[in-house]
Amino acid sequence: MAAVSKYFLLLLLLNSFAQLARCSVTYDRRGLVINGRRQILFSGSIHYPRSSPDMWEGLIQKAKDGGLDAIDTYVFWNLHEPSPGNYNFEGRNDLVRFVKLVQKAGMYLHLRIGPYVCAEWNFGGFPVWLKYVHGITFRTDNEPFKIENEYGLESKNFGGAGHSYMSWAAKMAVGLDTGVPWVMCKEDDAPDPVINTCNGFYCDYFSPNKPYKPTMWTEAWTGWFEEFGGPIHHRPVEDLAFAVARFIQKGGSFINYYMYHGGTNFGRTAGGPFITTSYDYDAPIDEYGLPRQPKYNHLKELHMAIKLCGHALVNADPKVTNLGNYEQAHVFATKSGRCAAFLSNYHWDTSARVTFNKMHYDLPPWSISILPDCKTVAFNTGTMRSKKSLPQMLPTNVPMLSWESFNEDIFSSDGDARITVFGLLEQLNVTRDASDYLWYTTSVQISPSESFLHGGQGPVLSVNSAGHALHVFVNGKFLGSAFGTQENKKFTFSKSANFHAGVNSVALLSVNVGLPVLTRLFLSHIKNIGHRFETWSTGVLGPVTLHGLDHGTRDLSRQKWSYKVGMKGEAIDLYSPSKISSVDWMKAPLAANRQQPLTWCKAYFNAPNGNEPLALDMSSMGKGQVWINGQSIGRYWTTYAKGQCSGCRYEGTYRQEKCQDGCGKPTQRWYHVPRSWLKPTQNLLIVFEEIGGDASKISLVKRSLAYV
């Protein structure tokens, strides 16, 4: 495999693949030029696998109605080639269908084919099998690896090899002669003719690395992603609009909103680790496909106002005049007499009255007024004219029928182990991401003479884990759990255990909660925390020790361990409608199993009437996974949010620590159920619960909007 792939980040503007040859796309310093016409372009990220195909056309149309010209999407390599040479472009993976729907809407497409995508997606979009290609090192100059995206910070970590690799990738891409420009986001030294671009909450500070390249913002972050145990993030639209207007008044010509619709991390696609199943992102279109107001309408009005200035913006350079200590005018005046002005107030808590062209204008704090004719205010970024939508999760009153359960046999984790070796193995090297779960099992011989057997506290079992979660069983009985966090992925489980004389079994269930990616921004400091992430370790790496024995501490780390990938229910596809009869289900009341770990539960329900988006309320459960009619909704985890939930003002520089919500509540309570997954009757719900919960209280709810 001399080269795994020969593609990286491509800006592809087209009405359809078939029309590409008839479409001329070039650029100059003022913008992209399509068929000889220079344009200001607004784009929005909608990732096709994060919504169901029946939603795509409606999402694209809402984007167009919101004033967008283009749709942006990554291409997710690990979805399309889950194993070498085996491809999947069906269902949510049907990229061609998605592209054709964009063409049908009369929009352009910004195609970012990665294949490294970041996107808080499992393993950054790389298939796990790539890690095991002989001689490979991700994202640098080595023979098996030739792909890239968002490379600037990573390039610096690799030094000369990083720069050499980036230069090779650019030369290769341009050599393909696609007929459209290529871009590299976050790559300051992108070689000609590749355009370097900006990602961030604000990009008005940014200039391309050559004066003849356009100023492009490939990711204007509309909000932020969530992680289990963290708060919900909101970005006020007044600040987002202010950031966009700042970028335009400095000469920016292309803006892509990341995300315009975030969607859902179905299955095990969420990365991180600890990224939630919801990828709502506080986007203008919410996870369920409904407009988030006032964000959606306020941005729509912004786009209309900027497009009224379009001729002046792409045919003139801004002239900047100070109107006060914090106030400026950016004026675009063409030789033909067209004029547009942006009047800005950068003060974060004080309004201002300014004089411009012998007229007075009142500017709210932290805002910009747009004057398409240099006279009349068409829009102010800080003045809200749209109502606010209040999402409500309402009961459907659809009963869950015929609840039954099946308990995993803890002892079977040892009896049918696939691997037995001395010492502890790294989790991903064993599972190859075939499952979130890996069993580590061993035995412990306890002498009958041990003092604790004749009174006193039992020995303490201590387990050091590299992440992400751990459930511990001694002699088949649940001892307890421990969990890492985004800040501290490594953790230690320690608890007194009930050992008896003779041979005791120790079973450690290590749980993955999404494979790592390079996170865009962390705690307000831009830094690369994903360097060589393919080498990061997960699982029980030890030491595993037993404290409190007569002869001191016993280290179990180097003794014989057996390994089994996944749960029995996974191995037999228990979540599939055709496989549910593979085990003996119990009809005992679920309340009796409420605290029983490693339990599968099933029920049936009928589809509710109407067309409102649907979700499962999983607040009665602990942690696990859920399926409907064989399709995975994703991971659930009722863990409570910690953060800084102290109100929100739009004024002032935004960072993701600002405007947090939901502290003290589950980070995610509701899990999106696409209506297209349902039949009129007898829909099969399967839940796998890791730590204990009350499945009888799971309910189906519908999402609706009220307006104030």
Side-chain angles (χ1 to χ4, degrees):
M1 186 177 293
V4 175
S5 176
K6 290 190 176 180
Y7 302 100
F8 73 133
L9 177 63
L10 170 64
L11 173 66
L12 190 55
L13 290 166
L14 70 162
N15 282 338
S16 72
F17 291 128
Q19 293 178 351
L20 180 60
R22 300 197 298 270
C23 182
S24 168
V25 185
T26 59
Y27 66 79
D28 60 23
R29 66 185 180 89
R30 290 194 176 120
L32 294 168
V33 181
I34 304 175
N35 290 332
R37 180 171 170 253
R38 193 183 297 119
Q39 298 186 42
I40 300 289
L41 293 172
F42 291 101
S43 172
S45 290
I46 300 175
H47 296 160
Y48 54 97
R50 282 177 159 147
S51 55
S52 54
D54 67 295
M55 294 175 65
W56 290 347
E57 190 165 13
L59 293 171
I60 293 166
Q61 188 60 49
K62 286 185 178 74
K64 183 175 183 179
D65 293 344
L68 300 192
D69 308 285
I71 299 296
D72 169 292
T73 187
Y74 280 122
V75 178
F76 300 85
W77 186 6
N78 54 9
L79 285 186
H80 295 301
E81 194 178 6
S83 60
N86 295 311
Y87 300 100
N88 182 353
F89 287 88
E90 303 296 326
R92 294 196 320 277
N93 302 342
D94 193 345
L95 173 62
V96 173
R97 177 181 173 185
F98 183 79
V99 171
K100 288 182 176 179
L101 288 173
V102 175
Q103 184 272 334
K104 180 181 177 182
M107 300 180 74
Y108 299 119
L109 182 72
H110 178 194
L111 190 65
R112 305 172 71 180
I113 58 177
Y116 173 73
V117 300
C118 188
E120 293 71 58
W121 188 267
N122 195 51
F123 220 41
F126 289 137
V128 169
W129 57 259
L130 186 68
K131 171 182 168 73
Y132 301 98
V133 172
H134 179 70
I136 200 165
T137 300
F138 283 17
R139 313 189 75 193
T140 189
D141 192 11
N142 66 113
E143 185 61 25
F145 194 91
K146 300 293 184 183
I147 43 184
E148 208 39 64
N149 166 47
E150 284 191 341
Y151 191 60
L153 296 175
E154 185 76 345
S155 174
K156 293 178 174 60
N157 283 320
F158 284 114
H163 180 78
S164 174
Y165 164 55
M166 180 276 300
S167 299
W168 172 89
K171 182 178 180 181
M172 176 277 298
V174 173
L176 294 176
D177 194 24
T178 60
V180 295
W182 295 74
V183 304
M184 282 184 169
C185 60
K186 300 169 66 174
E187 185 58 62
D188 293 341
D189 57 351
D192 286 355
V194 175
I195 307 165
N196 66 304
T197 66
C198 183
N199 293 356
F201 289 119
Y202 306 93
C203 278
D204 52 303
Y205 66 88
F206 170 79
S207 296
N209 59 16
K210 295 293 175 59
Y212 43 81
K213 295 180 181 179
T215 303
M216 300 176 63
W217 191 356
T218 38
E219 290 187 12
W221 297 334
T222 59
W224 200 244
F225 56 86
E226 270 69 61
E227 58 196 55
F228 286 114
I232 307 302
H233 301 90
H234 299 287
R235 185 178 187 186
V237 68
E238 298 95 326
D239 175 72
L240 178 57
F242 183 54
V244 171
R246 283 164 58 173
F247 183 72
I248 294 292
Q249 74 179 8
K250 292 287 292 290
S253 60
F254 176 94
I255 295 171
N256 176 66
Y257 294 104
Y258 189 100
M259 300 290 296
Y260 199 76
H261 163 74
T264 306
N265 292 316
F266 295 112
R268 297 189 302 114
T269 59
F274 305 110
I275 300 300
T276 57
T277 296
S278 171
Y279 198 68
D280 182 84
Y281 221 88
D282 199 40
I285 302 174
D286 72 15
E287 177 182 4
Y288 298 85
L290 302 176
R292 172 174 278 111
Q293 303 292 11
K295 186 169 278 188
Y296 178 87
N297 276 353
H298 197 61
L299 292 178
K300 178 178 180 178
E301 293 171 8
L302 169 68
H303 304 151
M304 293 173 62
I306 290 175
K307 288 181 179 181
L308 289 174
C309 308
H311 181 83
L313 293 175
V314 299
N315 288 285
D317 295 322
K319 180 181 178 182
V320 183
T321 303
N322 289 327
L323 304 177
N325 292 332
Y326 296 91
E327 300 82 33
Q328 290 182 331
H330 288 70
V331 180
F332 296 78
T334 68
K335 295 180 180 178
S336 63
R338 301 286 288 273
C339 182
F342 291 65
L343 308 183
S344 56
N345 176 12
Y346 285 88
H347 204 288
W348 67 274
D349 67 353
T350 302
S351 298
R353 168 164 281 202
V354 299
T355 301
F356 173 72
N357 282 352
K358 300 180 181 181
M359 296 179 67
H360 299 297
Y361 297 88
D362 293 318
L363 302 176
W366 202 252
S367 76
I368 292 175
S369 286
I370 300 174
L371 289 62
D373 58 359
C374 284
K375 296 178 182 178
T376 306
V377 175
F379 181 82
N380 176 268
T381 61
T383 301
M384 190 59 58
R385 294 184 288 201
S386 176
K387 291 184 177 181
K388 181 179 181 179
S389 58
L390 299 176
Q392 303 175 85
M393 306 305 278
L394 303 176
T396 61
N397 297 317
V398 170
M400 298 291 175
L401 305 173
S402 306
W403 276 111
E404 296 180 307
S405 63
F406 164 75
N407 296 327
E408 289 275 341
D409 183 358
I410 308 304
F411 289 102
S412 72
S413 64
D414 185 41
D416 56 357
R418 298 181 182 179
I419 304 172
T420 300
V421 298
F422 287 94
L424 298 167
L425 300 179
E426 194 275 336
Q427 181 166 345
L428 186 59
N429 286 339
V430 180
T431 67
R432 303 293 176 100
D433 201 34
S435 170
D436 280 353
Y437 306 107
L438 178 63
W439 285 102
Y440 295 69
T441 59
T442 192
S443 60
V444 177
Q445 182 76 36
I446 298 294
S447 169
S449 64
E450 285 287 346
S451 300
F452 78 86
L453 294 173
H454 307 287
Q457 186 179 26
V460 173
L461 179 64
S462 180
V463 182
N464 283 44
S465 173
H468 306 131
L470 181 70
H471 309 307
V472 180
F473 300 82
V474 174
N475 294 323
K477 296 186 180 300
F478 180 56
L479 183 60
S481 301
F483 308 95
T485 65
Q486 187 67 264
E487 293 79 14
N488 298 294
K489 298 174 183 64
K490 296 181 179 180
F491 59 91
T492 299
F493 172 90
S494 188
K495 190 173 181 180
S496 176
N498 186 20
F499 287 91
H500 56 68
V503 178
N504 297 259
S505 68
V506 174
L508 310 176
L509 181 60
S510 183
V511 185
N512 162 57
V513 192
L515 297 181
V517 298
L518 185 156
T519 302
R520 290 180 172 79
L521 189 67
F522 188 69
L523 297 179
S524 295
H525 301 291
I526 296 176
K527 62 181 181 179
N528 185 341
I529 62 169
H531 181 57
R532 297 294 310 278
F533 69 83
E534 78 276 13
T535 67
W536 292 4
S537 297
T538 58
V540 179
L541 300 183
V544 178
T545 54
L546 202 57
H547 305 272
L549 300 176
D550 290 348
H551 295 287
T553 298
R554 184 185 302 179
D555 191 344
L556 310 180
S557 307
R558 294 182 176 85
Q559 67 181 45
K560 185 180 291 185
W561 289 83
S562 296
Y563 298 85
K564 177 191 172 187
V565 176
M567 312 306 298
K568 178 181 178 180
E570 289 181 296
I572 60 176
D573 296 335
L574 192 58
Y575 44 81
S576 171
S578 63
K579 300 295 180 66
I580 56 171
S581 60
S582 302
V583 300
D584 294 325
W585 295 88
M586 297 186 300
K587 294 184 178 181
L590 290 178
N593 270 337
R594 186 164 52 191
Q595 300 304 321
Q596 178 71 31
L598 307 188
T599 299
W600 295 82
C601 301
K602 76 176 178 74
Y604 292 92
F605 66 95
N606 297 333
N609 295 327
N611 58 6
E612 301 96 336
L614 302 175
L616 285 175
D617 184 344
M618 301 294 293
S619 58
S620 66
M621 303 302 289
K623 181 181 181 299
Q625 299 181 44
V626 58
W627 295 261
I628 288 182
N629 293 331
Q631 300 203 63
S632 176
I633 296 293
R635 302 183 183 101
Y636 68 86
W637 190 359
T638 306
T639 182
Y640 290 81
K642 298 178 182 179
Q644 303 171 18
C645 301
S646 56
C648 180
R649 290 174 56 91
Y650 82 83
E651 301 93 339
T653 300
Y654 179 81
R655 291 291 181 261
Q656 69 269 30
E657 298 93 341
K658 185 178 179 181
C659 297
Q660 297 181 353
D661 190 18
C663 295
K665 301 177 182 179
T667 300
Q668 185 170 354
R669 174 178 176 177
W670 297 288
Y671 293 79
H672 181 206
V673 178
R675 274 192 177 264
S676 60
W677 291 12
L678 301 184
K679 305 177 296 182
T681 61
Q682 285 290 99
N683 294 285
L684 174 65
L685 170 65
I686 296 286
V687 177
F688 175 62
E689 172 59 47
E690 297 174 20
I691 56 180
D694 188 351
S696 67
K697 293 182 180 178
I698 295 174
S699 63
L700 188 69
V701 298
K702 58 186 178 182
R703 188 174 179 91
S704 66
L705 299 178
Y707 294 90
V708 295

